[in-house]
Amino acid sequence: MNRSLLLLAFLLAACASPQREAACGPLVTSPRSPSIEAGPADFDDSTIENLSLERTRELALLRSPSAAAAYAAVLRAEARIEEARALFRPTFSLGTTGTLNDKEASFDLPGAGTVTTRQQWQQVWTASSSISLFDFGRDRAALAAARMEADAASLNARSARQRLLHDVTVAWHRVHATSANVIVSEETLRMAEKQLEDASAWVEAGKRTRDTMLTAGVDQLARRQDLMVARNARRQALRVLNILLCRPPDASTTLATTNAPPPAQEQLQHMFEAASKNNPALLALRFRRAALTRSRESSERSAWPELTLNTTATRDSSASFGSSPESAQAVFSFNWLAIDGGRRAARSAGLSAELMELRAQELLLLQQLETDLSRAVLDLDEARSAAHIADQSVQAATENYRLVNERAEAGTLSAREVLEARRTLAAARYAGTEAVFRQHTALAWIESLTGSALAAN
């Protein structure tokens, strides 16, 4: 038995790597965030203060279940690579068979006559190994396809991170925008309360009729309603941000100050070129096409014969008298499935059709990228123009409100004109806040489409 096992080990060592693995490493090396590897975290209900946009993105990547699910898909694709690599390694199996029988063996011994033995239990041990020596590149193509699928899964994970970063960025700026609207509503309410006090004093002094005080009271109630709406919007924006950070909706969170949007530097053609090179969703489609091409190649190469080495070692406890109970053998097998009923042709046709579909999807995605980038640039230009107009409007409305208020106190203007001036000022401030938020939103969308969000994270 020892000699047989030694022979088997020698043969395995001699043919351990007759096929060389495909020398095509990962075509895309994407840095994997340790946060995604850690998986989704439990809800954090601690108080967070002065939360910056960069820290918000880090926490989202650390805790998001969508990022963890995308990373799990990467792990699954990498496991398929190991499965494809196993095709280049030998297999080993060990088995035994026990049989109860009535077999009799008789033999003559010189000077002792005939001796008869009864074998009631037969035990056979078998150790075997098999390895493919040559298959015309079928396994190498399958390994290359698995690696490209892993690259595509990695890019899909990056795309999921990109969408998450976009959502978090928009939510963070939305909190700032709603907070600014709350400030405007509070100041507008204080103005309305001041006007109500002035109107009451004017009515008591006989300078105005009672309808002036009633109009100011109704306006004060309307401004209180505006403040309630603004505070609810801020509360909802904070809830959305907390949920993206895997925190309880009403957890205590305060944000750091936001920076002004950068000046205009975007050129549509350059952005589209960057998107066509860096957008992970687009790159994932391209690598999936490459993987399918290799899979089709592997399917076509399976039509060629395969050379296999099989080695076996056996020990039979019931060997015949005079023969060795141990044996070993090495067998070279030449297998060729010349006709498989059309299975390979059908699989190749299906892969070709899928390649056509992916190519069409890639062209559609390129068109969509160009359309979205064009729209985002237009939105950004519109938002910058609106912000400039709103800034000028706020200055003009502030001066107008001051003059109208002075004239109203002097009795030359009515309370309704004061109300209109104050509403114009509040509307200009609201428009300025919305324009700044639109700028940040457009920039975040451009960042997501061009893939630059991944470079910063």
Side-chain angles (χ1 to χ4, degrees):
M1 181 64 179
N2 293 335
R3 293 193 303 273
S4 300
L5 292 178
L6 286 174
L7 176 60
L8 178 60
F10 175 77
L11 291 172
L12 288 176
C15 62
S17 57
Q19 292 192 70
R20 300 193 60 177
E21 293 186 12
C24 55
L27 302 180
V28 172
T29 56
S30 58
R32 198 174 292 133
S33 172
S35 57
I36 298 182
E37 295 181 2
D42 295 332
F43 267 32
D44 172 25
D45 57 356
S46 62
T47 300
I48 298 181
E49 297 180 354
N50 200 31
L51 184 62
S52 65
L53 178 58
E54 292 74 16
R55 181 57 180 163
T56 303
R57 290 182 169 195
E58 292 175 1
L59 290 176
L61 292 176
L62 175 67
R63 299 169 176 175
S64 172
S66 63
Y71 177 61
V74 175
L75 293 181
R76 186 170 61 248
E78 291 178 349
R80 286 195 289 268
I81 292 180
E82 292 303 316
E83 183 178 356
R85 283 176 177 165
L87 299 174
F88 297 90
R89 301 168 187 151
T91 61
F92 178 79
S93 62
L94 181 66
T96 182
T97 303
T99 305
L100 182 64
N101 54 49
D102 294 329
K103 177 182 177 182
E104 293 184 355
S106 301
F107 52 91
D108 297 329
L109 291 178
T114 301
V115 178
T116 302
T117 63
R118 179 182 296 275
Q119 183 70 39
Q120 295 183 339
W121 179 256
Q122 179 185 4
Q123 188 80 25
V124 179
W125 290 89
T126 304
S128 62
S129 177
S130 178
I131 189 169
S132 177
L133 297 178
F134 187 71
D135 62 0
F136 289 89
R138 179 198 61 198
D139 293 343
R140 288 196 297 273
L143 177 58
R147 282 174 170 165
M148 292 177 182
E149 285 287 356
D151 290 333
S154 178
L155 287 166
N156 286 331
R158 294 178 63 190
S159 182
R161 293 176 60 205
Q162 180 177 273
R163 291 191 298 271
L164 176 63
L165 291 177
H166 171 265
D167 293 343
V168 168
T169 301
V170 172
W172 191 85
H173 286 295
R174 171 57 73 183
V175 173
H176 274 288
T178 54
S179 298
N181 288 338
V182 168
I183 294 175
V184 174
S185 298
E186 290 174 345
E187 294 179 358
T188 305
L189 177 59
R190 285 195 294 269
M191 293 177 182
E193 291 174 345
K194 176 65 167 55
Q195 185 174 2
L196 179 60
E197 292 176 0
D198 294 341
S200 299
W202 293 338
V203 170
E204 291 179 1
K207 297 181 179 180
R208 296 284 194 277
T209 58
R210 185 173 176 81
D211 68 306
T212 301
M213 184 178 64
L214 294 176
T215 300
V218 172
D219 182 70
Q220 180 200 33
L221 294 177
R223 302 291 76 77
R224 285 182 177 177
Q225 179 67 19
D226 291 343
L227 179 59
M228 179 185 296
V229 172
R231 285 175 174 172
N232 286 341
R234 180 180 62 179
R235 186 179 181 184
Q236 179 61 20
L238 276 172
R239 284 178 169 177
V240 171
L241 182 61
N242 279 329
I243 290 174
L244 287 172
L245 298 179
C246 289
R247 290 166 54 79
D250 293 318
S252 177
T253 305
T254 60
L255 305 185
T257 57
T258 181
N259 297 323
Q265 294 179 348
E266 298 78 12
Q267 295 184 8
L268 181 60
Q269 184 61 33
H270 292 166
M271 287 190 295
F272 180 70
E273 291 175 358
S276 62
K277 294 178 181 178
N278 301 323
N279 185 276
L282 181 62
L283 294 178
L285 280 177
R286 291 172 179 169
F287 278 104
R288 284 197 61 206
R289 285 178 54 209
L292 285 177
T293 301
R294 291 302 185 96
S295 296
R296 184 177 62 180
E297 178 185 350
S298 176
S299 177
E300 292 171 350
R301 290 180 182 271
S302 65
W304 294 91
E306 179 181 8
L307 181 63
T308 306
L309 172 62
N310 297 280
T311 55
T312 305
T314 305
R315 188 180 189 281
D316 189 350
S317 63
S318 62
S320 302
F321 181 76
S323 63
S324 174
E326 302 171 358
S327 63
Q329 63 179 359
V331 179
F332 289 92
S333 302
F334 184 80
N335 302 312
W336 185 16
L337 183 60
I339 300 176
D340 65 349
R343 294 177 180 86
R344 284 188 296 264
R347 174 172 170 77
S348 295
L351 291 173
S352 298
E354 194 170 354
L355 283 169
M356 294 175 58
E357 180 184 4
L358 288 179
R359 177 56 180 166
Q361 290 178 6
E362 180 183 349
L363 294 176
L364 287 174
L365 184 54
L366 281 170
Q367 294 175 356
Q368 189 65 40
L369 281 175
E370 189 168 13
T371 301
D372 291 344
L373 280 172
S374 300
R375 182 69 262 174
V377 171
L378 292 177
D379 288 345
L380 184 59
D381 291 341
E382 292 174 4
R384 283 171 173 158
S385 177
H388 177 71
I389 294 173
D391 183 63
Q392 299 297 319
S393 298
V394 168
Q395 297 181 22
T398 302
E399 180 64 17
N400 180 65
Y401 177 74
R402 185 185 66 81
L403 295 175
V404 169
N405 203 37
E406 290 178 355
R407 294 177 182 177
E409 291 178 355
T412 59
L413 292 178
S414 66
R416 292 188 179 274
E417 291 173 301
V418 177
L419 293 178
E420 290 298 327
R422 190 175 69 247
R423 290 171 182 172
T424 301
L425 175 59
R429 296 181 67 183
Y430 284 134
T433 300
E434 183 63 23
V436 172
F437 173 71
R438 285 180 57 196
Q439 289 184 70
H440 286 299
T441 301
L443 286 170
W445 185 229
I446 291 173
E447 182 186 53
S448 178
L449 292 173
T450 57
S452 57
L454 301 174
N457 291 273

